[in-house]
Amino acid sequence: MEQSNQQHADLARKFNGNESRVNWHDETLWWIRQKRDKIVWQVPEWEALREAASQIKHHVLGNLADYLEEFERNAQQNGVTVHWAADAAEHNRIVHSLLQQQGVTRMVKSKSMLTEECHLNEYLAEHGVEVIDSDLGERIVQLLKEPPSHIVLPCIHIKKEEIGELFHKYLGTPEGNADPQLLTHAARLHVREVFMSRKVALTGVNFAVAETGEFVVCTNEGNADMGAHLADVHIASMGIEKIIPRREHLGVFLRLLTRSATGQPVTTYSSHFAKPRPGQQMHLVIVDNGRTVQLGREQFRNSLKCIRCAACMNTCPVYRRSGGHSYHTAIAGPIGSILAPNLDMKQYADLPFASTLCGSCSNVCPVKIDIHNQLYQWRQVITQNGHSPAAKTAAMKVMATTLSQPKVYTLAGKAGRWVLRNMPWLVNNRLNPWYKQRNMPEAPKQSFREWYAQNKKQG
Amino acid sequence: MVCTKQKTGIEVHMSSRNKILSAIRSNKPGAQPLPGITGFTAQQPDTERFVNTLQSIGGRVVRVRSFEEIIAHIREAFPEGTRIISSLPQLAGIAETGWSNAPAHSLENVQLAVFKAQLGVCENGAVWVTEQDIVQRAAAFIAEHLAMVLEESTLVATMHDAYLQLHNQRYGYGVFIAGPSKTADIEQSLVLGAHGPRTMTLFLV
Ligand code: SF4
């Protein structure tokens, strides 16, 4: 993603320039959050599952080196070539060298936030390699020359009419047609050609099983499988934290992942890759890129438990009203605001302040990361490191920009819905005054309370 | 390779692998035991739930008693001359069965692929197959339409129960398939048929 010097508040203000679009974005994400709730309530043991997932991940972090070695050993025995990359640059070089070995300059790629984090597409483009993203949402933002704005729903910020225009231009769909069915079918035909002609396919990894050396990739579209099964070479990129000990633990994580992400019971495909096909090469690139540093930060290491479901984004009142691009980092939203400062504390000093610390993220996180608590703690660390004043001001501006839109809630009938959408913690906490319930009532409380009091008067 | 300068001034090369592993070892938290997950298993399967769930995610469920019924159903939906592939000898009359060595790309014009699944999961409508079941990995994805044959007796309640059966299975590739391929990337409108099969029919025996 293009790294910007602009801060979250400025970018959020830009996004808020179009009020009806912001409302639409907000409502769409809240709708997904509600779908999540509905399906979660059907699983009586949900809380026990979250606890188990969190503990399994904690156990893995305490034994990560051993599990990675076990995973490597088993993957190699399965005929998979394992590469290690200390940082994004090394990851990109490895992928490029694999492409060079094949003598190809074109590759198809399914969704991988890690490759976004590493800016792989840009790197390969500079080296004359064309990458086609095969996930529909990713293909759309790729054609728009934008980064994804959401880790699960890459083009959640774009209207179908804009996609209709885009596809008319690039794929020759009829002008003025914005029918999702037609547009999806056009993309299917377009990407099918890509699948049929690419020799190298790259996928992400959702889970890597130490015990068996296999890795699991989850998609709804089937694009990871189409790419990998039709290519001579399959490259899979994974962060070191994707490890789980045993195959049976997939039961826990696959039950949690998609319910949390989109409110579906499971993704259409949960593909378990253990060995290459006869004649096929399979490569795994295991990437650090700052993760071992985060592991050493005691108060932030829990963020490495993340399974990238995006539930924390869908529920976040700031994310919903500021848009993914306002976070100016590959992974937006609450979790991205914990991960990014680890990579560059100064550049991302604003992000932990782009939060109300309401705790709704922590409530929905399937691996029980104490997200809002970590955001609060980043504020302390950032302040101690002298990056704070501008960022603090930014935080105030965020509240002003993203949350105080009087028009929305002066309408009496809408008030209840507005509270639900924008202050989910009030509901979660059975309407207890929010400031009594919170764990961390420091600086941001003051400004938010002022804001709340003021706006209540207006309402 | 990453170069690190030691105190002696001698440059030593340390592979990224070793650098990562040693950084993990010095930065990791204290050990915490692995929690047991046996409490989640051994729930009762519920056919009704499986059928409803699969239908709710876009799958079609057809209850049958015999392969004759399956053949009749396929014949009704797909006219003669349609390219159908299968791994099931019982379907040899209507489907190609000798395509195991055909190049994967040559399956592109397959209209319907029919396979037998090993088990079905009631909580999410998914069925499990490995590459033995689908002959070629691409086959379950490249076909326009997919059909699976599943014995009702193989249903399990949850993913935990599924892995209880699969935890020792050896495969090069295996996949849970839950309904047809789909996307909702355009304004969250659900469209069936993204990059994989556009429909998924399950013959429940
Ligand atoms: S932090 Fe939790 S809720 Fe957010 S994406 Fe990661 S796993 Fe999902």
Side-chain angles (χ1 to χ4, degrees):
Chain A
M1 183 197 270
E2 189 56 37
Q3 287 184 345
S4 150
N5 291 324
Q6 281 182 300
Q7 294 221 311
H8 179 269
D10 304 317
L11 296 162
R13 193 178 316 108
K14 214 189 276 174
F15 186 72
N16 274 258
N18 183 339
E19 192 182 320
S20 67
R21 179 177 294 241
V22 175
N23 291 340
W24 164 76
H25 186 263
D26 179 7
E27 279 161 20
T28 308
L29 287 160
W30 184 249
W31 178 67
I32 297 165
R33 154 79 210 252
Q34 287 176 316
K35 284 207 305 181
R36 173 249 173 225
D37 290 348
K38 246 198 202 152
I39 199 148
V40 161
W41 292 334
Q42 291 168 25
V43 182
E45 64 274 35
W46 184 257
E47 286 308 313
L49 268 178
R50 287 176 76 209
E51 186 56 38
S54 186
Q55 285 184 26
I56 293 167
K57 285 280 185 179
H58 200 106
H59 167 83
V60 168
L61 293 180
N63 301 273
L64 187 56
D66 296 342
Y67 279 131
L68 278 165
E69 284 176 328
E70 183 187 351
F71 174 71
E72 179 190 42
R73 219 170 29 244
N74 289 322
Q76 284 170 343
Q77 261 169 30
N78 288 340
V80 179
T81 310
V82 179
H83 309 260
W84 298 76
D87 52 25
E90 193 176 13
H91 165 265
N92 294 348
R93 281 199 304 274
I94 291 168
V95 173
H96 186 220
S97 72
L98 291 170
L99 288 157
Q100 283 176 318
Q101 278 170 29
Q102 296 300 311
V104 301
T105 55
R106 301 189 304 174
M107 180 175 86
V108 63
K109 175 163 83 70
S110 69
K111 204 185 278 163
S112 149
M113 286 318 295
L114 176 60
T115 60
E116 292 293 328
E117 177 188 320
C118 294
H119 305 291
L120 175 70
N121 285 14
E122 291 91 324
Y123 175 88
L124 290 178
E126 281 164 24
H127 290 80
V129 176
E130 177 218 60
V131 178
I132 301 275
D133 288 324
S134 57
D135 174 84
L136 175 59
E138 286 209 323
R139 186 68 187 129
I140 289 165
V141 289
Q142 187 177 40
L143 288 172
L144 283 167
K145 299 182 178 62
E146 283 183 17
S149 72
H150 186 285
I151 59 175
V152 172
L153 316 159
C155 67
I156 191 74
H157 61 295
I158 299 169
K159 292 273 201 179
K160 62 183 180 203
E161 289 76 18
E162 293 163 301
I163 299 167
E165 238 171 82
L166 186 76
F167 279 17
H168 171 64
K169 186 171 160 198
Y170 288 100
L171 309 183
T173 55
E175 195 165 9
N177 194 319
D179 173 27
Q181 188 97 34
L182 177 132
L183 297 174
T184 301
H185 195 68
R188 174 185 171 93
L189 298 176
H190 156 64
V191 180
R192 181 62 65 117
E193 256 176 59
V194 175
F195 289 134
M196 291 297 288
S197 54
R198 298 306 187 264
K199 300 252 177 299
V200 179
L202 189 145
T203 69
V205 170
N206 288 92
F207 306 100
V209 184
E211 171 191 50
T212 58
E214 75 198 304
F215 57 93
V216 175
V217 183
C218 304
T219 75
N220 277 322
E221 298 186 4
N223 55 317
D225 288 277
M226 280 296 282
H229 303 328
L230 291 170
D232 300 338
V233 178
H234 175 185
I235 306 170
S237 296
M238 60 176 267
I240 54 171
E241 80 283 18
K242 295 290 175 188
I243 294 277
I244 58 172
R246 295 200 289 265
R247 187 183 281 163
E248 65 181 17
H249 294 127
L250 287 168
V252 174
F253 291 100
L254 291 178
R255 293 189 80 194
L256 289 165
L257 176 64
T258 321
R259 287 185 171 94
S260 300
T262 57
Q264 295 169 255
V266 70
T267 45
T268 305
Y269 305 106
S270 309
S271 306
H272 300 46
F273 293 90
K275 298 176 185 168
R277 302 189 312 272
Q280 188 198 31
Q281 284 183 32
M282 202 177 266
H283 296 268
L284 260 164
V285 191
I286 302 176
V287 184
D288 179 351
N289 203 36
R291 287 163 176 75
T292 52
V293 177
Q294 190 83 320
L295 188 65
R297 297 186 200 269
E298 203 183 324
Q299 69 269 56
F300 304 121
R301 63 166 60 114
N302 267 342
S303 61
L304 295 171
K305 293 179 178 178
C306 174
I307 57 172
R308 303 286 190 268
C309 72
C312 58
M313 299 173 199
N314 302 342
T315 200
C316 175
V318 175
Y319 176 90
R320 281 185 276 122
R321 299 200 64 83
S322 62
H325 289 161
S326 66
Y327 293 80
H328 57 95
T329 173
I331 297 173
I335 184 63
S337 302
I338 299 171
L339 298 174
N342 174 57
L343 290 173
D344 187 334
M345 205 184 296
K346 187 158 177 268
Q347 188 183 353
Y348 300 116
D350 56 322
L351 294 186
F353 293 86
S355 165
T356 62
L357 302 188
C358 70
S360 180
C361 46
S362 307
N363 286 337
V364 294
C365 177
V367 288
K368 293 183 98 167
I369 300 171
D370 52 335
I371 305 170
H372 69 300
N373 186 22
Q374 294 196 25
L375 288 170
Y376 174 75
Q377 296 206 46
W378 260 125
R379 294 182 184 184
Q380 320 297 303
V381 174
I382 284 165
T383 307
Q384 280 155 22
N385 284 273
H387 303 305
S388 135
K392 258 190 183 161
T393 326
M396 306 301 137
K397 279 195 271 176
V398 167
M399 303 314 155
T401 324
T402 63
L403 296 175
S404 63
Q405 298 226 5
K407 253 194 261 167
V408 183
Y409 56 85
T410 44
L411 302 167
K414 278 194 173 174
R417 258 198 297 151
W418 188 89
V419 170
L420 258 163
R421 271 209 322 273
N422 293 284
M423 295 185 266
W425 65 95
L426 282 181
V427 179
N428 288 335
N429 294 334
R430 299 186 195 287
L431 293 166
N432 276 326
W434 68 281
Y435 45 87
K436 280 187 193 160
Q437 272 290 312
R438 292 189 330 155
N439 301 325
M440 299 297 163
E442 302 299 306
K445 177 181 98 180
Q446 201 54 40
S447 56
F448 189 77
R449 188 197 278 156
E450 282 164 10
W451 169 85
Y452 185 56
Q454 189 192 341
N455 283 291
K456 233 168 76 170
K457 263 182 260 148
Q458 290 174 10
Chain B
M1 297 292 259
V2 176
C3 299
T4 48
K5 277 221 162 90
Q6 289 193 326
K7 277 190 201 111
T8 55
I10 301 165
E11 216 173 68
V12 290
H13 287 281
M14 195 174 175
S15 72
S16 291
R17 176 187 186 276
N18 293 342
K19 196 183 141 206
I20 293 167
L21 290 173
S22 75
I24 292 171
R25 290 204 159 96
S26 50
N27 289 350
K28 70 178 184 182
Q32 191 175 300
L34 194 55
I37 55 168
T38 46
F40 295 120
T41 49
Q43 295 184 29
Q44 282 306 309
D46 173 351
T47 306
E48 200 72 9
R49 183 162 185 212
F50 175 77
V51 170
N52 291 339
T53 308
L54 182 51
Q55 285 171 342
S56 77
I57 55 178
R60 302 170 185 175
V61 180
V62 183
R63 285 173 178 270
V64 292
R65 273 157 309 193
S66 65
F67 272 96
E68 284 67 50
E69 284 183 42
I70 293 175
I71 290 168
H73 190 91
I74 292 173
R75 265 291 149 257
E76 202 178 306
F78 294 89
E80 209 123 0
T82 310
R83 186 166 186 205
I84 302 174
I85 59 171
S86 181
S87 58
L88 297 161
Q90 296 92 330
L91 297 182
I94 57 161
E96 295 170 38
T97 50
W99 49 279
S100 60
N101 292 317
H105 292 77
S106 72
L107 303 175
E108 206 215 349
N109 60 357
V110 167
Q111 282 297 305
L112 173 69
V114 191
F115 303 113
K116 186 161 184 196
Q118 295 181 21
L119 60 83
V121 186
C122 297
E123 68 162 330
N124 58 25
V127 297
W128 172 256
V129 287
T130 65
E131 63 187 335
Q132 264 89 42
D133 305 306
I134 57 176
V135 187
Q136 289 201 32
R137 298 177 190 188
F141 297 88
I142 202 167
E144 283 291 294
H145 304 274
L146 179 66
M148 291 280 185
V149 179
L150 184 77
E151 284 169 24
E152 190 176 346
S153 61
T154 65
L155 288 176
V156 296
T158 68
M159 291 296 269
H160 308 294
D161 301 299
Y163 281 109
L164 206 58
Q165 293 189 26
L166 303 178
H167 78 283
N168 277 329
Q169 199 173 85
R170 292 184 156 267
Y171 48 76
Y173 171 83
V175 57
F176 281 104
I177 299 180
S181 81
K182 59 176 88 67
T183 182
D185 274 344
I186 301 177
E187 284 201 13
Q188 288 302 296
S189 337
L190 181 68
V191 178
L192 302 183
H195 297 301
R198 293 161 59 194
T199 67
M200 197 269 211
T201 305
L202 188 120
F203 293 110
L204 193 61
V205 192

